[in-house]
Amino acid sequence: QSDNACSHGTFCISGTKILDTNQKPFLIRGVNSAHADWDNWSRSYALKSLRKIAEYKANTVRVQWRMKHSNNDLNLNHLENIIITAKNSGLVSMVQLHDVTGSNDPNELKKCAFWFVNNLSLFQRHKRYVMINIANEWSQWGTSGAVWKNAYLTAINILRSAGWQGIIVIDAPAYAQDPNAVIQYGPDLMFQDKVNNGNGNILFSIHTYAQWRTENGDYKFRVHLTKINDLGLPVVIGEFADKHPEHPSCSWSDIDYLDLMKVCKEREIGYLGWSWAGNGWDCNQSLAPLNMVQGDQQFESTWTQGVLSDWGKKIFDTPSYGIKATSIKASIFN
């Protein structure tokens, strides 16, 4: 007897674990890729790099998408092509909308939910292979957990009412860095989805940047991820890197990526590194050190040849804990 949430022919949540449609455990190991910002202007750099990402043993790609594009050559057909190309490479797609990053307006989050509803037929067609990450990093520093919970309760119900039964990925508040809100309000969000919608396919996502830094960080991987797990909540590290600029100083902080990978292996927690290529600017400085591949990202060959950078080697090649050592494709691809 499978539990209710696993009867929909989608990825599902069972306790703290993700199961695929064969009811086999699936541990996310993958990367973020900037499709909306680098597949436009007819470039398709991110699309064309999916096969290389899969070659390096990733099993999931977190697909950056936008409701509004900076030009008009990206449409839903391109997104479907991404999902199919990923699937044909043995990659699961976690599709996220990037438009409302840092917004504190619950109506902006609602817009994201309605975008998925308006385009739900695409996700239903590929429901065995996709997860919906409603919005990237909705809510700023200092957003209360209660505001976050109520906004997401509405967004979840919108998607469920429209018929989406698969996994909904929810970024934590404060640019997805705050684990305490997940600890405090996550159980209620999960309970409400079960009661309101007979579901419970909610996956909480945390982005571990400067607030998780090695020196004097606000949060600790083992402490906070264990707390979330011990509540019976599933969690994924939706973004991380080995370093990141802090605000407001704009100096780079080291993040103990190895400790994070160890905890993720021990606790069977998924992770998605940021990011394959295409990093822009923050604090008037280039974020190119966060690219997993070497070379000038303005050239397609940089993306498709995938010569690993220092950070790329860390996430893919770290013995025992990196992607190549720990990633297993979803059983649906066998």
Side-chain angles (χ1 to χ4, degrees), residues 42-145:
S42 304
R43 289 178 297 200
S44 295
Y45 289 6
L47 173 67
K48 290 174 182 173
S49 61
L50 285 169
R51 288 185 183 87
K52 179 59 73 173
I53 290 169
E55 262 177 47
Y56 284 157
K57 300 288 190 271
N59 63 23
T60 306
V61 60
R62 184 167 177 257
V63 176
Q64 179 223 33
W65 202 247
R66 293 183 186 273
M67 296 181 280
K68 297 187 181 72
H69 297 288
S70 56
N71 68 328
N72 61 8
D73 70 352
L74 277 187
N75 56 33
L76 224 55
N77 292 339
H78 188 88
L79 180 56
E80 184 156 36
N81 197 7
I82 292 166
I83 292 168
I84 291 169
T85 303
K87 178 175 79 174
N88 291 342
S89 305
L91 291 166
V92 174
S93 296
M94 181 189 290
V95 179
Q96 56 102 341
L97 291 176
H98 221 74
D99 310 72
V100 302
T101 300
S103 165
N104 268 5
D105 183 353
N107 287 318
E108 292 294 299
L109 184 64
K110 247 195 251 186
K111 279 182 198 167
C112 292
F114 280 120
W115 182 91
F116 280 107
V117 167
N118 292 337
N119 298 296
L120 199 59
S121 59
L122 165 63
F123 297 92
Q124 297 289 27
R125 272 199 297 285
H126 302 286
K127 67 180 185 176
R128 292 184 70 211
Y129 305 96
V130 298
M131 303 178 194
I132 288 177
N133 187 178
I134 301 180
N136 178 69
E137 297 183 358
W138 177 82
S139 79
Q140 298 170 3
W141 313 120
T143 301
S144 83

